Amino acid sequence: MDIIKIAILGIVGALLGIMLKGQKKEYELFVTLGVSLCIFYFIVTKLQLVVSVINRMQDYVNLDTSYIAILIKMIGITYVSEFSANLCKDAGYQAVAGQIEMFGKLSILAISMPVILVLLETIGEFLVS
C-alpha cells in the first residue's frame, strides 16, 4: 500500500513544515521541497510501471510507436509542470507557478500537433468516402 506511505509522508511533512513555519520560513520551504521530491520519486516509479504496461499493450496491438512516445511525453510534461508549479505556489510565487502551468499546457499542445493532424486527415478521409 504505497498510498498509505505517501499519505503519511505528506502529513508528517506538512506538520513539520507548520512547526518550522514559526521559527524559520526557509526551513519550511526545505522540508516541503524534500517531501515533494520523495513523493515525486514514488510517482516516477509508478510511471515506469505504466510505461512497461503500455509497451506490452503495444505488442498486442499494432500501434505507431511515435504516438505512444508522444503520450508518454505528455504525461511527463504534465507531472513535471504540476510538481514545479505547486512548489512555487508553496513558496509564495503564484505568478511564476502560473507561468509554469501555462508553459506546460502550451508544450503539451505543441507535442500533440502531429496527433491532431492525423486525426483531421482521418476525419477528412471518412467525409470524402
Side-chain angles (χ1 to χ4, degrees), residues 22 66 76 113:
S66 63
M113 282 300 160

Side-chain angles (χ1 to χ4, degrees), residues 53-72:
V53 170
I54 289 174
N55 286 333
R56 265 195 278 154
M57 287 172 41
Q58 187 177 0
D59 293 338
Y60 296 125
V61 179
N62 284 336
L63 294 175
D64 190 4
T65 57
S66 63
Y67 298 134
I68 301 296
I70 289 171
L71 178 65
I72 292 170

Side-chain angles (χ1 to χ4, degrees), residues 68-79:
I68 301 296
I70 289 171
L71 178 65
I72 292 170
K73 286 178 187 178
M74 290 169 64
I75 292 170
I77 289 171
T78 302
Y79 281 120

